Amino acid sequence: MATNVLALPRTAEPTGIMSWITTVDHKRIGILYLVTAVIFFIIGGIEALIIRTQLAVPSSTLVDPATYNQVFTMHGTTMVFLALMPLNSGFGNYFVPLMIGARDMAFPRLNSLGYWLFLFGGLLLYSSFLIGGGAPDAGWFGYAPLSERAYSPTHGIDFWILSLQLLGISSIIGGLNFIVTILNMRAPGMTLNRLPLFVWGTLVTSLLAIFAIPSISVALFLLLFDRIFATSFYLPGGSGDPLLWQHLFWFFGHPEVYIMIMPSFGIISEVLATNSRKPIFGYAAMAFAFAGISFVSFTVWAHHMFAVGMSPLADAIFAGMSFVVGVPTGIKIFNWLGTIWRGSLRVNTAFLFAAGFIGQFTIGGLGGIMLAVVPVDWQITDTYFVVGHFHYTLFAGTVLALFAGTYYWFPKMTGRFLNEKLGQIHFWLTMVGMTMLFLTMHYVGVLGMPRRIYTYGPSMGWDLWNLIETIGAFIVALGVLFFIINLFKSMRQKATATNDPWDGQTLEWATSSPPPAYNFASMIPVNSPRPLWDAKYGPHSEFASNPKKIDLSGGGNANVHLPNPSIWPLVLTIGLVIIAIGIIFGFNGGALALDISSMGMAVQSLPIAFAGGIVVFFIGLVGWIAQPAG
Amino acid sequence: MSAVGKLEQGAHRAGQALETVVDQAHSQELHAATSTGLDHRKLVMWVFIASETIFFAALMATYLVNRGKVTPEDGPEHLNLAVASFNTFILLFSSLTMVMALQAIENAKKRRMIFLLAATALWGFVFLGGQVYEYAELIANGITFDSNVWSSSFFALTGFHGTHVFVGIIWICMLIIRALRGGITENNHLAVELGGLYWHFVDLVWVVLFTIIYLI
Amino acid sequence: MRLLWTKWSRLCALGIASLSLFGLASCQSTPQDILAPFSPAAELTANLFYFVFWIAVIIFIFVEGLLVYFVIRYQRRAENEHPEQYHGNTKLEITWTVIPALILVIVFFLTIRAMGQVGPTSPPGQGIPVRVIGHQWWWEVQYNDGKVKYATDLHIPAGQVVNVQLTSENVIHSFWVPSLMGKTDVVPGYTNTTWLYTDKIGEYSGQCAEFCGAQHANMLFKVIVQSPADFDAWLKNVQTPAEEPAPGSEAARGKEMFLNPKNACIGCHTVDGTAAVGVTGPNLTHVASRDCIAGCLLPFDHSNVVKWLTDPQAVKPGTLMRIPKLTPDEVDALSAYMESLK
């Protein structure tokens, strides 16, 4: 009998496709996020391989510039919005309620809505290849005026705008849900200074998201108005200002990169502490560092704009704040070293990825400090030095942490272990390939190679380095292949994981692997950030001699009421997608529009799809409200 | 008491707490079973409002940087301070009726609440009417969404605000319907409080908008 | 243990390989190397880079060294081994907060000082004003308050400050010649300024450094630093009207073709002293005095001019230079004319 890799061991929840489509269970939604995001990660990775193959040799004609510009735009947009953010959300969704001892998230149906908006936002973006006249091609950062209709005449940018709006709504919804869940649904005794660090990471990330995303939302609306209503927010011909886009975008864009890294900081803390059999070193400093980094991250956005011609005073302020953010970041690095110091280290694959992260993220952070030295930035900004820097923080940072989290939490989610041998091969291929690929980028940037170029001449001195980077990219890809094989292979194994295979410290390890649908049938006292550790080994525990006795799962049959599944989030999402398509195609005539030019209004046509989408949206909303919350 | 006994007691209490939480998830109100003591929905409304603040702040910043880029004849001169002032008064008054509606249901006066909610929605409509009038005047003077960067910013900022008012009116109508069907009582009126929070926020945004567009 | 021996040997192998590659590659020329400065500004920046770079290297070696040491040293030796549960150390934590902060304060002050010395808005004086205009996808340069229009090669005299004014009527570009100066963006609606100053005669490679569309990769230029005498001679030459080709020569035939509206040249190009006054494309009055064409993608010589005129889209896909298909004879004639415009 073939094993369906999505079939988890039976819980109290029903099985079948419809049960997955209507699920409101945070664990299932977490799995949906993770699986979907992994698929987008692979697509983004293929886009990266196309880029690297094109750049492997000078003056290559493998990929024409129009295609190349679409590929690198989609690579960036996919990796940021469709891979890294949802992977963080996936782990957050699955584990935050468990780690705080809750039954589910505060708003289960809103949780489901967040997932559907993510999936359909991504599908909308990719449909641009087929129905948009081409994918967006103005970079993931879409600087105006290049992203305006005059210089990007196809619908690609319109698809980009609308799908980012949907994805933004998804992230805000997720952020709201996490904030309320974490603040309101903690187990008795779990004060904020006893939150596991992954929960802290998710909390601050969510706060960043709800405050940063509205800025890009406004930026995107104004660009949309320029493109379809002929306004001139960013066009100097109409007294507009291209720099308005940059400020609105980067006010979001800088906190965004912290949105991508902070859950990862949390994962690293969890993996290192558990695998060291020690508490995290300096818990309070770690929590304060999360808060400090978050706050400062809103004050540095224009360090992406040192070359645009701002006043020296502005440059100096943003540089100063960029240096400031290095201090709490450094604190975290040193505290992680302190955690493993004199620990009892289980050096499995999860630990290797987490330990690797420490050194690799340091490289990324130090590169960032170098970029904050304004005159140096004037030479190395917009070069491959920057590309190397952010791929260190995002790949050698976030992605390594996500791999660590996967190997660490896979047994909890599936009851099976990922194969250690394949894991080690995956790890070493990644370390070698990643160094060849991204460290080299710093050097070739110093040699003057700008970014976002589809080719380069043979007399620039960049040939050898680009070739090394391309080989490195394929080695990384090979590592990912081993990882995927490992996932499939491990799902075919029998489910042998116990509740607490790693001798964990936090509550998710106190229930079964995987947890029952209701998570916990009972709860243990919480007097520190390590409630399970205290219950097992604390001075008042009589389980010190036999710590395996902690099982809060109630045998999987506890009579706990579960929230009702719901189809309405999906309906709502479809309504929004139809509205989006109506906006893209309807306002300037075309097949999806009703000609109203004879009515003498400024808008020439009424998008039918726009109107239809609103109807579907309202149907979804009414259905949602009418359904009992359960 | 032995450690086992303590653990059992703790687990029993936790189980009870869990049961209480689960039971109350059925009803419309959640009492102090949350860690902060606030109902989930009230907390989420506050956080949502915080997020919306940034949305309007970005639009306001756009308006402010574009304000000085046109001559008065191309836009600002044609603003109607009288209508906008009237609108401000209307919206402030609507916040008052909203507060009174909440007060009414807290005192078990359901019909009075419905009346006051309807009044609030009505003032909301009057406000939107005032906005339509202002827009019509501008358009009649040839100042449309795409005329210049000031007008684009003006219409975008007030347009998004008006959309929020419109959503608020629909929300209030839905509260009225719910109340008529018996879903809102003196012990179960969180929905009215949440609607009020949203409505007051939209009103506050207008006060700031009015100040920066019409007064400064 | 076996695992970690492999890690060590891998690390060593990687180190040796990298060093040898560096050795190999340093034979290649690197015309845009920011660490090969040819001006005081670029040199100051390069020194600042080295300073922060080595601090970063030391910090990395420290962190990575401790990491590797801890991972090897503290591996679990027995299954029920329970280490001491250190929760932190306030003194240590304060130390590793304060020391990085102090290092960063120093770096911040060095940053501010360098900004004053090499900032684009802090030229060491007022010298020769030059306008640089970003087009899609070529650089225009203008001298004498716009009276002299040239393209792709920016000639400047050695030993004199050149004040550069940057504008664009289309999208954002970035003006960057690494050997001489940091980059400054060219933003539509703004007039940014920067400056160049060097006493080292030579040719320096530059490139647009802000993504500007299809052919951003090939929006190249050169800064040609000449002795003041040579610069004056060059400037004088480009102010003369175009050379008249000998009657009956191939170049004369080429001129006729050039001026023929059906060939679409005069819609975009100017040749001073003729009826061609188009301004969308580069001024071609002295195109043969240039080092390169097609946004400096191709060096200026006969075969490249032929290549460009035969099929611009094949050379630079997406280019805005659109001409009708010409026969090889027509291309030869036009090329002859272009090559006569010294």
Side-chain angles (χ1 to χ4, degrees), chain A residues 337-623:
Chain A
L337 287 176
T339 304
I340 64 179
W341 166 73
R342 290 207 182 159
S344 169
L345 309 182
R346 179 198 289 112
V347 183
N348 58 10
T349 307
F351 182 85
L352 283 173
F353 273 108
F357 172 97
I358 298 176
Q360 300 304 301
F361 183 78
T362 301
I363 295 177
L366 291 169
I369 294 295
M370 292 173 71
L371 282 161
V373 179
V374 180
V376 172
D377 185 83
W378 286 328
Q379 287 282 36
I380 58 180
T381 193
D382 261 307
T383 67
Y384 264 81
F385 189 97
V386 180
V387 183
H389 159 69
F390 67 71
H391 279 97
Y392 255 87
T393 50
L394 293 177
F395 189 97
T398 304
V399 173
L400 280 198
L402 289 168
F403 283 139
T406 307
Y407 286 92
Y408 178 66
W409 276 319
F410 195 81
K412 176 55 57 181
M413 292 189 286
T414 66
R416 300 156 169 88
F417 292 91
L418 281 171
N419 182 288
E420 272 296 309
K421 276 205 181 54
L422 290 177
Q424 307 234 334
I425 296 175
H426 171 207
F427 174 71
W428 289 112
L429 284 173
T430 304
M431 291 297 283
V432 170
M434 191 174 81
T435 305
M436 286 173 72
L437 173 54
F438 299 125
L439 195 61
T440 314
M441 283 184 180
H442 291 86
Y443 185 59
V444 81
V446 164
L447 290 182
M449 181 172 176
R451 54 189 295 202
R452 301 163 181 157
I453 55 175
Y454 78 96
T455 190
Y456 54 93
S459 52
M460 303 308 292
W462 303 332
D463 308 8
L464 176 63
W465 310 112
N466 274 285
L467 185 60
I468 292 174
E469 288 170 22
T470 301
I471 296 171
F474 279 94
I475 294 176
V476 169
L478 189 60
V480 174
L481 184 61
F482 271 92
F483 174 67
I484 304 293
I485 292 172
N486 202 349
L487 286 174
F488 277 97
K489 200 168 133 75
S490 303
M491 285 310 297
R492 297 179 109 92
Q493 307 302 325
K494 283 210 293 257
T496 58
T498 55
N499 291 9
D500 184 15
W502 307 128
D503 196 15
Q505 309 180 357
T506 43
L507 289 174
E508 77 269 30
W509 306 107
T511 186
S512 56
S513 300
Y518 51 82
N519 295 346
F520 302 101
S522 52
M523 188 44 56
I524 51 178
V526 176
N527 295 306
S528 80
R530 309 193 296 161
L532 180 60
W533 187 267
D534 293 340
K536 288 188 293 187
Y537 304 112
H540 303 295
S541 160
E542 95 285 11
F543 289 118
S545 54
N546 197 355
K548 290 179 181 54
K549 280 257 163 95
I550 311 285
D551 182 2
L552 306 180
S553 67
N557 301 315
N559 190 15
V560 179
H561 175 85
L562 298 172
N564 296 323
S566 179
I567 192 73
W568 301 112
L570 177 56
V571 175
L572 221 86
T573 302
I574 291 175
L576 284 171
V577 171
I578 299 175
I579 291 175
I581 293 182
I583 292 176
I584 293 171
F585 288 107
F587 276 103
N588 289 306
L592 294 174
L594 197 64
D595 186 5
I596 54 170
S597 51
S598 56
M599 286 169 69
M601 300 202 303
V603 172
Q604 295 302 301
S605 51
L606 184 69
I608 300 174
F610 182 76
I614 292 183
V615 169
V616 176
F617 177 85
F618 267 103
I619 293 174
L621 193 63
V622 170

Side-chain angles (χ1 to χ4, degrees), chain A residues 233 239-240 244, chain B residues 61-70 149-150 153:
Chain A
F233 285 105
S239 301
L244 177 63
Chain B
T62 302
Y63 178 81
L64 287 170
V65 304
N66 285 330
R67 207 233 304 259
K69 290 190 184 176
V70 294
V149 86
W150 173 87
S153 307

Side-chain angles (χ1 to χ4, degrees), chain A residues 4-311:
Chain A
N4 179 357
V5 294
L6 290 180
L8 300 178
R10 274 186 188 275
T11 63
E13 282 212 41
T15 52
I17 297 273
M18 269 318 278
S19 76
W20 280 91
I21 291 179
T22 58
T23 187
V24 295
D25 179 345
H26 72 99
K27 298 181 288 301
R28 285 204 166 181
I29 293 175
I31 302 255
L32 286 172
Y33 265 106
L34 288 171
V35 171
T36 310
V38 165
I39 294 173
F40 277 119
F41 178 75
I42 292 172
I43 295 174
I46 292 172
E47 285 157 351
L49 291 177
I50 295 175
I51 292 171
R52 281 317 323 162
T53 309
Q54 164 68 11
L55 292 177
V57 295
S59 309
S60 173
T61 50
L62 188 71
V63 178
D64 67 273
T67 305
Y68 183 90
N69 293 343
Q70 290 174 44
V71 172
F72 87 73
T73 300
M74 291 297 275
H75 167 74
T77 309
T78 299
M79 286 307 200
V80 170
F81 295 103
L82 303 177
L84 262 50
M85 286 174 82
L87 285 168
N88 281 327
S89 278
F91 280 123
N93 247 303
Y94 200 107
F95 287 101
V96 164
L98 285 168
M99 289 172 124
I100 62 175
R103 180 195 69 178
D104 203 309
M105 297 278 279
F107 300 104
R109 285 177 299 177
L110 219 51
N111 205 8
S112 165
L113 179 63
Y115 169 72
W116 290 114
L117 283 171
F118 154 52
L119 173 64
F120 277 89
L123 292 175
L124 182 67
L125 178 68
Y126 272 87
S127 68
S128 62
F129 277 116
L130 297 171
I131 61 175
D137 59 356
W140 88 279
F141 51 95
Y143 275 6
L146 182 63
S147 51
E148 297 270 5
R149 178 112 22 229
Y151 302 100
S152 295
T154 68
H155 281 299
I157 303 288
D158 300 318
F159 275 87
W160 182 76
I161 291 172
L162 269 317
S163 74
L164 284 184
Q165 295 282 36
L166 292 181
L167 294 167
I169 296 173
S170 168
S171 293
I172 291 182
I173 284 174
L176 294 175
N177 216 348
F178 278 123
I179 292 169
V180 176
T181 304
I182 293 170
L183 291 181
N184 251 5
M185 295 177 71
R186 289 165 278 142
M190 189 177 281
T191 50
L192 284 179
N193 63 344
R194 293 174 186 166
L195 282 182
L197 282 170
F198 178 65
V199 180
W200 263 114
T202 304
L203 177 62
V204 294
T205 299
S206 304
L207 286 165
L208 284 183
I210 65 156
F211 286 122
I213 291 172
S215 185
I216 191 180
S217 184
V218 169
L220 291 168
F221 272 121
L222 300 185
L223 181 63
L224 187 69
F225 294 156
D226 275 7
R227 288 177 64 87
I228 64 177
F229 293 129
T231 53
S232 298
F233 285 105
Y234 308 122
L235 292 167
S239 301
D241 187 349
L243 295 186
L244 177 63
W245 167 268
Q246 293 193 27
H247 282 291
L248 288 174
F249 179 84
W250 286 117
F251 186 79
F252 151 80
H254 194 82
E256 166 65 10
V257 310
Y258 288 99
I259 288 171
M260 289 191 281
I261 195 67
M262 302 240 263
S264 300
F265 284 165
I267 295 177
I268 297 300
S269 289
E270 300 298 333
V271 174
L272 289 179
T274 300
N275 279 329
S276 307
R277 273 206 176 131
K278 281 178 67 202
I280 199 74
F281 193 92
Y283 172 89
M286 290 297 245
F288 275 115
F290 265 133
I293 294 172
S294 305
F295 184 74
V296 176
S297 77
F298 274 104
T299 64
V300 302
W301 79 89
H303 69 212
H304 301 269
M305 295 165 62
F306 281 147
V308 304
M310 295 189 302
S311 72

Side-chain angles (χ1 to χ4, degrees), chain B:
Chain B
M1 196 195 279
S2 76
V4 178
K6 277 207 195 114
L7 206 66
E8 265 180 354
Q9 204 179 61
H12 181 66
R13 278 201 220 109
Q16 278 186 323
L18 206 63
E19 263 183 343
T20 320
V21 167
V22 158
D23 272 348
Q24 287 174 335
H26 276 296
S27 76
Q28 300 296 333
E29 304 274 346
L30 212 58
H31 300 291
T34 62
S35 313
T36 60
L38 285 173
D39 185 293
H40 290 337
R41 287 163 292 174
K42 195 186 284 196
L43 184 54
V44 88
M45 181 53 71
W46 278 109
V47 184
F48 173 67
I49 285 173
S51 178
E52 289 272 83
T53 307
I54 303 290
F55 184 79
F56 280 105
L59 285 167
M60 287 183 211
T62 302
Y63 178 81
L64 287 170
V65 304
N66 285 330
R67 207 233 304 259
K69 290 190 184 176
V70 294
T71 57
E73 309 87 70
D74 285 335
E77 205 173 71
H78 299 278
L79 288 175
N80 193 325
L81 180 60
V83 169
S85 304
F86 173 71
N87 260 1
T88 307
F89 170 72
I90 287 289
L91 218 52
L92 284 169
F93 192 67
S94 76
S95 267
L96 177 63
T97 51
M98 189 75 207
V99 168
M100 289 165 68
L102 179 62
Q103 223 176 28
I105 193 62
E106 278 168 352
N107 292 325
K109 295 194 161 54
K110 200 173 93 166
R111 282 200 15 218
R112 188 167 143 83
M113 173 198 76
I114 292 176
F115 172 73
L116 286 162
L117 283 178
T120 307
L122 178 67
W123 303 136
F125 262 118
V126 171
F127 172 86
L128 287 180
Q131 289 295 76
V132 169
Y133 181 84
E134 171 80 293
Y135 284 11
E137 244 193 3
L138 287 166
I139 292 172
N141 277 302
I143 299 165
T144 55
F145 188 32
D146 57 354
S147 295
N148 56 60
V149 86
W150 173 87
S151 71
S152 302
S153 307
F154 170 82
F155 280 109
L157 179 54
T158 55
F160 273 114
H161 174 261
T163 310
H164 279 74
V165 173
F166 182 69
V167 167
I169 293 173
I170 296 189
W171 191 329
I172 292 173
C173 291
M174 286 168 61
L175 285 175
I176 294 174
I177 294 173
R178 196 153 143 187
L180 289 171
R181 293 169 65 187
I184 300 185
T185 68
E186 80 219 57
N187 291 319
N188 194 348
H189 55 261
L190 181 68
V192 179
E193 207 178 329
L194 297 182
L197 275 175
Y198 177 79
W199 191 258
H200 298 316
F201 168 69
V202 169
D203 189 2
L204 184 61
V205 169
W206 172 255
V207 170
V208 180
L209 250 58
F210 175 68
T211 308
I212 70 173
I213 295 176
Y214 292 91
L215 295 185
I216 298 184

